[in-house]
Amino acid sequence: MKIGVLTAGGDCPGLNAVIGAVTRSAMEADDEVIGIRRGYAGLANRDYMELDRNSVSGLLRSGGTILGTSSFEPHREQAVEKIMDSIAEAGMDAVIAIGGEHTMGMTGRLHAEEGAPVIGVPKTIDNDISGTDYTFGFDTAVQTATDAIDRLQSTAQSHDRVMVVEVMGRNAGWIAVHSAIAGGADAVVIPEFATTVEELAEGVAIRHQNGKNFSIIVVAEGASLVFEGGSEQLVQPVEAADPYGYPRLGGIGAVLARELEARTGFEVRVAVLGHIQRGGTPTATDRLLATRFGVRALDMAKASEFGRMVAWRGNELTSVPLEEAAAVKSVDEATLELARRCFAAR
Ligand code: F6P
């Protein structure tokens, strides 16, 4: 068989581990793997690289993607025909598309409308893809954010400061809530759960009264500021979008810091972790999940199980229809309850 593999959307730790697992499993079965550069742009423009045991050697521990990535959208760019022609011309029997929920959506459409022989593999630090309990990249991002919170805690304590830590996650609070619990933060602000600015300020004031002159507040980039009485402030400038039209999030940390400083009178500083959460070597958990996904995707290609995405559900490797994966998965109720219990106790 000839199998194409591409990475699309934002990068995350573990992409190279999937590419390596697909390639090595294919070599075992005497199949050929074609690396497609920069996501669907590479398929439209026939921009390929050869993948073999040599080219994927030592990849497990490297962040990013050796294939490069882009958010090129075949339908928006009117490139669907080109893509179907490329698949036929290169003789690809299957294309494994590794990406986030946007990529799963466009890949599902290519299968449903054009009959493309595609299989999805879910990646993202945000862990916000429906149909799978976890995506690889998430564990590494949570570890990076937790390490940052640990470091910020000691300097906040030395200077009697409040530190606001802004983390990524798009419109879901997975990274924020997991790292806030693991890092022992004092409060968390996420899109799924409204905490008012007044409540946050009161929490900080109470800690000071109790002799704790510092606080750590983790805020998800996609959250809005909510005030008593129900008014909301969405911080993101809507006009700021990437070259493919996806909104760029970020900035809530600085606004929240100003509001807290005005209400409490304490010094409030901001740390925006940004792309640091996306880079670097994947954790062992992410390497394993990525490897499992890659091997399973290759098996699905060989079994012609097209139009589906590899998934991890209830501690088992499985697959779901791509349509199921296109929706955003918010933080689940059990995790929200855990967060409520942890932060109420501080
Ligand atoms: O989806 C992953 C992610 O890192 C989000 O958490 C973040 O909002 C976005 O990508 C940033 O994208 P870019 O690298 O295009 O700025």
Side-chain angles (χ1 to χ4, degrees):
M1 279 183 91
K2 246 191 198 178
I3 293 145
V5 58
L6 62 84
T7 52
D11 71 345
C12 77
L15 288 169
N16 283 331
V18 183
I19 297 166
V22 168
T23 306
R24 273 190 297 272
S25 313
M27 300 282 114
E28 280 301 302
D30 285 330
D31 291 322
E32 194 182 322
V33 183
I34 301 172
I36 301 161
R37 288 200 173 93
R38 289 189 294 281
Y40 279 108
L43 199 49
N45 301 319
R46 294 162 195 189
D47 187 2
Y48 308 132
M49 68 186 268
E50 206 181 307
L51 288 177
D52 55 22
R53 279 196 185 86
N54 272 349
S55 49
V56 300
S57 152
L59 272 191
L60 259 179
R61 62 190 64 80
S62 69
T65 162
I66 55 164
L67 295 175
T69 185
S70 76
S71 298
F72 181 96
E73 232 230 76
H75 295 90
R76 190 176 3 206
E77 308 293 330
Q78 270 124 37
V80 172
E81 216 180 299
K82 266 189 180 173
I83 278 172
M84 294 308 293
D85 286 350
S86 300
I87 294 175
E89 190 205 73
M92 293 182 202
D93 300 294
V95 174
I96 296 175
I98 313 169
E101 98 267 8
H102 278 120
T103 304
M104 295 306 122
M106 58 180 98
T107 303
R109 230 178 128 185
L110 284 174
H111 177 259
E113 294 174 9
E114 315 295 328
V118 284
I119 288 153
V121 174
K123 66 86 218 176
T124 170
I125 62 165
D126 304 337
N127 198 38
D128 62 348
I129 304 182
S130 291
T132 184
D133 294 348
Y134 287 103
T135 54
F136 63 86
F138 173 60
D139 188 66
T140 308
V142 169
Q143 190 58 55
T144 302
T146 304
D147 290 345
I149 293 167
D150 287 350
R151 287 167 191 272
L152 291 167
Q153 202 260 354
S154 60
T155 174
Q157 185 162 15
S158 307
H159 289 267
D160 294 346
R161 281 174 178 156
V162 177
M163 294 290 324
V164 172
V165 189
E166 182 181 306
V167 299
M168 281 185 163
R170 275 211 190 270
N171 300 313
W174 288 102
I175 299 176
V177 82
H178 276 232
S179 62
I181 294 172
D186 302 294
V188 67
V189 184
I190 54 174
E192 292 87 345
F193 182 78
T195 312
T196 65
V197 173
E198 289 80 359
E199 282 168 338
L200 293 168
E202 198 192 337
V204 169
I206 291 172
R207 276 177 59 78
H208 274 67
Q209 279 158 26
N210 294 337
K212 296 270 189 194
N213 290 338
F214 70 98
S215 297
I216 306 275
I217 298 175
V218 177
V219 56
E221 62 175 4
S224 334
L225 287 192
V226 182
F227 295 87
E228 231 164 58
S231 71
E232 261 191 44
Q233 190 179 338
L234 193 63
V235 175
Q236 279 74 44
V238 193
E239 69 277 11
D242 71 11
Y244 298 95
Y246 299 125
R248 266 186 209 158
L249 303 181
I252 186 171
V255 182
L256 177 61
R258 275 204 305 276
E259 296 287 345
L260 287 177
E261 204 159 70
R263 280 173 173 76
T264 62
F266 303 130
E267 187 180 1
V268 186
R269 296 293 187 93
V270 195
V272 180
L273 302 190
H275 290 83
I276 290 170
Q277 296 157 99
R278 285 232 305 252
T281 186
T283 58
T285 299
D286 275 341
R287 296 181 202 189
L288 276 168
L289 187 60
T291 301
R292 286 188 162 117
F293 280 180
V295 170
R296 179 59 167 252
L298 196 268
D299 289 349
M300 286 168 66
K302 293 190 79 68
S304 302
E305 288 176 31
F306 301 128
R308 299 184 71 79
M309 178 189 84
V310 189
W312 183 256
R313 288 173 94 158
N315 226 17
E316 260 183 26
L317 201 53
T318 180
S319 73
V320 297
L322 278 165
E323 296 74 51
E324 213 179 292
V328 171
K329 180 186 69 188
S330 300
V331 176
D332 61 276
E333 194 40 53
T335 308
L336 289 179
E337 179 53 21
L338 180 66
R340 278 184 209 109
R341 301 267 293 268
C342 289
F343 299 116
R346 292 203 174 106

